């Protein structure tokens, strides 16, 4: 005989299952998988790194990385959303899956590859020294015993540690590159070390800064890549697919001014 109480409970369970299924079908805020992979990509950056990323007067994130990622997104049919989270949080939030990837002029290094995966390179860079215009400093060796300002946990920071030693108290590390340049202007540091495109962009935008840039053959070439969580092969392959397409059609060279294999 049919039990009314049992029937009622079965109807409740069925209704609850339908609700759960409906909730599970909704898109997440990032890493939303569509028919051809990810339909939306949440990208973390540190937007004081012009010309790669900066904020315009409207509060929008603009720059080379934004243009390259948007071009890739168009090729792989994915919407791209940038979030200005800060330099170190980019790494933390990619690890925690709060972001799908990091795009912030990130140099591909062996140390970083132990924790993250990187796309193929999309930009070639090198480091430069920044000093006051009237400074007698002309070589890397001349700042070996002087205070050096850098952006924390960047290749510029690593170069300073290589020059002076990991525990040197004369290395002044800051959250972003403009602060490091300002410390040279203030006289707190004798020099700063930063990526060439960023240094030259800063000097162009601040012609009265009283700073100059110095090249050094002792700095090795660096290559930027987009960074994803270690093991996220699906997203990595998708990004590399889009990147290769904009290399082949000339869009990458148009954006960066470089031709890179």
């Amino acid at each position: 005989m049919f039990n009314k109480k049992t029937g009622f409970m079965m109807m409740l369970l069925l209704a609850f299952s339908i609700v759960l299924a409906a909730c599970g079908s909704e898109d997440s805020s990032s890493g939303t998988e569509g028919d051809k992979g990810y339909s939306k990509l949440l990208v973390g950056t540190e937007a004081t790194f012009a010309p790669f990323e900066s904020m315009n007067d409207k509060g929008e994130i603009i720059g080379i990385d934004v243009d390259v990622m948007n071009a890739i997104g168009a090729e792989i049919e994915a919407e791209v959303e940038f979030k200005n989270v800060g330099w170190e949080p980019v790494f933390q939030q990619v690890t925690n899956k709060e972001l799908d990837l990091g795009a912030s002029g990130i140099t591909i290094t062996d140390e970083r590859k132990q924790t993250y995966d990187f796309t193929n390179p999309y930009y070639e860079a090198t480091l430069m020294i920044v000093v006051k215009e009237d400074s007698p400093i002309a070589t890397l060796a001349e700042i070996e015993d002087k205070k050096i300002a850098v952006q924390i946990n960047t290749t510029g920071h690593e170069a300073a540690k290589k020059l002076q030693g990991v525990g040197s108290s004369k290395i002044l590390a800051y959250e972003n590159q403009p602060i490091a340049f300002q410390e040279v202007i203030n006289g707190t540091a004798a020099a700063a070390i930063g990526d060439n495109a960023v240094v030259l962009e800063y000097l162009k935008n601040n012609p009265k800064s009283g700073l100059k840039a110095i090249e050094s053959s002792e700095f090795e070439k660096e290559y930027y890549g987009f960074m994803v969580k270690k093991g996220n092969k699906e997203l990595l392959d998708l990004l590399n697919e889009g990147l290769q397409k904009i290399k082949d059609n000339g869009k990458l060279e148009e954006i960066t001014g470089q031709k890179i294999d």
Side-chain angles (χ1 to χ4, degrees):
M1 180 181 288
F2 181 80
N3 187 304
K4 290 184 178 180
K5 184 175 181 180
T6 301
F8 179 72
M9 291 300 295
M10 290 177 66
M11 289 175 66
L12 281 178
L13 286 171
L14 179 60
F16 186 65
S17 298
I18 292 170
V19 170
L20 283 179
C23 291
S25 67
E26 292 181 4
D27 288 344
S28 60
S29 61
S30 70
T32 306
E33 294 185 28
D35 295 336
K36 296 183 179 180
Y38 284 69
S39 61
K40 182 177 181 179
L41 295 172
L42 191 56
V43 186
T45 195
E46 188 270 299
T48 65
F49 202 66
F52 295 93
E53 38 271 319
S54 60
M55 306 291 289
N56 66 13
D57 294 339
K58 298 178 182 179
E60 300 165 328
I61 304 172
I62 59 171
I64 291 173
D65 281 346
V66 178
D67 293 344
V68 173
M69 271 307 308
N70 282 332
I72 290 174
E75 293 293 344
I76 62 176
E77 299 181 18
E79 178 188 351
V80 177
E81 179 185 344
F82 269 77
K83 289 188 68 177
N84 180 26
V85 300
W87 174 245
E88 296 208 282
V90 168
F91 294 84
Q92 297 160 4
Q93 291 185 29
V94 168
T95 298
N96 297 338
K97 298 183 179 180
E98 297 171 64
L99 298 168
D100 295 310
L101 67 143
S104 196
I106 305 173
T107 301
I108 303 167
T109 67
D110 290 338
E111 182 179 0
R112 287 173 181 162
K113 285 197 292 186
Q114 293 177 17
T115 312
Y116 303 93
D117 286 332
F118 287 87
T119 63
N120 296 326
Y122 67 90
Y123 193 86
E124 180 186 298
T126 189
L127 294 172
M128 296 186 83
I129 305 164
V130 176
V131 297
K132 287 187 175 181
E133 288 179 341
D134 59 358
S135 172
I137 294 170
T139 66
L140 184 61
E142 291 177 80
I143 60 173
E144 186 174 1
D145 61 349
K146 292 179 170 53
K147 288 185 178 180
I148 305 172
V150 296
Q151 182 177 6
I152 193 168
N153 293 334
T154 59
T155 51
H157 194 178
E158 291 303 313
K161 288 191 284 188
K162 183 178 179 181
L163 183 67
Q164 295 190 350
V166 174
S168 174
S169 62
K170 294 182 179 180
I171 299 173
L172 312 177
Y174 300 97
E175 175 59 25
N176 61 59
Q177 196 69 60
I179 296 177
F181 296 148
Q182 187 62 47
E183 292 299 84
V184 180
I185 295 170
N186 296 343
T188 307
I193 299 177
D195 289 17
N196 59 340
V198 177
V199 168
L200 297 175
E201 183 76 5
Y202 182 88
L203 295 180
K204 182 182 77 174
N205 293 334
N206 298 274
K208 297 181 180 180
S209 65
L211 299 177
K212 65 180 179 181
I214 301 170
E215 295 180 343
S216 174
S217 60
E218 295 182 64
F219 293 133
E220 297 180 356
K221 289 180 180 179
E222 301 177 0
Y223 295 91
Y224 293 170
F226 298 117
M227 180 183 75
V228 304
K229 184 177 173 64
K230 191 75 173 176
N232 192 348
K233 187 176 185 300
E234 180 184 6
L235 179 54
L236 188 67
D237 289 347
L238 194 63
L239 292 172
N240 275 328
E241 176 188 329
L243 179 58
Q244 189 59 52
K245 286 181 178 179
I246 65 172
K247 285 181 179 180
D248 293 342
N249 65 22
K251 186 67 176 178
L252 182 64
E253 184 178 357
E254 179 186 327
I255 294 169
T256 65
Q258 292 184 346
K259 187 172 180 63
I260 189 168
D261 294 330

